[in-house]
Amino acid sequence: MSNPVKEQTPEERAVAAAESLAAEGLTVTARSVRDRSGVRMAIASEAARAWNEQQSKDDDVPEAPAAVQARFAALWREAVTVARAEFAEARAGWEAKIAKAKEDADAMAEDLGKVEDERDKALKAASDAEQEVTTQRSRADKAEGRAETLEGERDRLIGERDGLLTTVAQLRDQLRSQDKD
């Protein structure tokens, strides 16, 4: 009995192996075709080369028709025009924000200058007040020293007065006693 299925030639087996490898997502090489089909390396190499050439031709993209190119050029011009307008608008917005930020920075610098001037005046006033306190303390210390001196003189004079009053009282008593005699 004969087999109704016709036997494949080595070339046909190599082509079938190349298609099978590609369908599985594997790279079609002479070695992978030979391993899969069991043919000689020369046949596998020719089958892999032919299959890869055919695939690269199938992958080539033909030139776009003139009508498509014209429409693309018009779309591209419109896209560039819109992009430039959006860029100009965005740039103007950012420039306005930058200008506002610079104004704010200048105002803050001016305010800082005023605050620093006020601080310097306050420090000067504090220094002057401290100097005045020092001067007044010195005066107070001198006045206290004079007051202590005057108190000592007063106490001395009171003591001298008391002594003189005692002496006067004694002298009066002596005079009275002499007047009685």
Side-chain angles (χ1 to χ4, degrees):
M1 275 215 222
S2 74
N3 192 352
V5 176
K6 182 181 172 190
E7 287 285 324
Q8 289 183 325
T9 65
E11 288 80 10
E12 290 173 335
R13 284 196 324 252
V15 169
E19 289 175 359
S20 172
L21 288 166
E24 293 173 18
L26 300 172
T27 305
V28 177
T29 62
R31 182 177 301 274
S32 63
V33 170
R34 187 189 74 176
D35 290 346
R36 177 75 54 101
S37 65
V39 297
R40 292 177 311 161
M41 184 56 98
I43 295 172
S45 178
E46 180 57 31
R49 185 194 56 72
W51 190 89
N52 284 320
E53 277 181 13
Q54 182 60 41
Q55 287 305 306
S56 68
K57 285 180 185 175
D58 290 347
D59 290 342
D60 288 344
V61 177
E63 187 72 27
V68 172
Q69 287 180 357
R71 181 65 183 141
F72 175 76
L75 288 172
W76 182 249
R77 263 192 307 279
E78 184 177 339
V80 168
T81 301
V82 168
R84 284 181 179 159
E86 287 176 358
F87 174 77
E89 183 178 331
R91 183 177 189 165
W94 282 110
E95 286 174 349
K97 286 181 181 181
I98 289 170
K100 176 70 172 128
K102 284 181 181 177
E103 287 175 15
D104 291 347
D106 291 344
M108 285 183 210
E110 186 177 326
D111 290 346
L112 178 62
K114 289 177 184 176
V115 168
E116 286 176 342
D117 289 345
E118 290 174 12
R119 180 205 60 204
D120 292 345
K121 287 177 185 175
L123 288 174
K124 172 91 170 85
S127 175
D128 291 347
E130 192 174 311
Q131 183 68 31
E132 183 62 25
V133 165
T134 302
T135 301
Q136 292 302 326
R137 278 192 184 138
S138 177
R139 283 184 176 169
D141 289 344
K142 288 177 186 175
E144 190 176 318
R146 277 183 274 166
E148 286 175 5
T149 302
L150 289 174
E151 282 178 5
E153 183 64 19
R154 181 201 66 196
D155 291 344
R156 185 189 65 77
L157 289 172
I158 289 173
E160 194 176 305
R161 180 200 68 186
D162 289 344
L164 288 173
L165 286 174
T166 303
T167 302
V168 166
Q170 288 173 350
L171 287 173
R172 274 190 193 153
D173 286 342
Q174 282 176 0
L175 280 172
R176 276 188 211 145
S177 355
Q178 286 178 359
D179 281 344
K180 285 185 187 178
D181 289 327

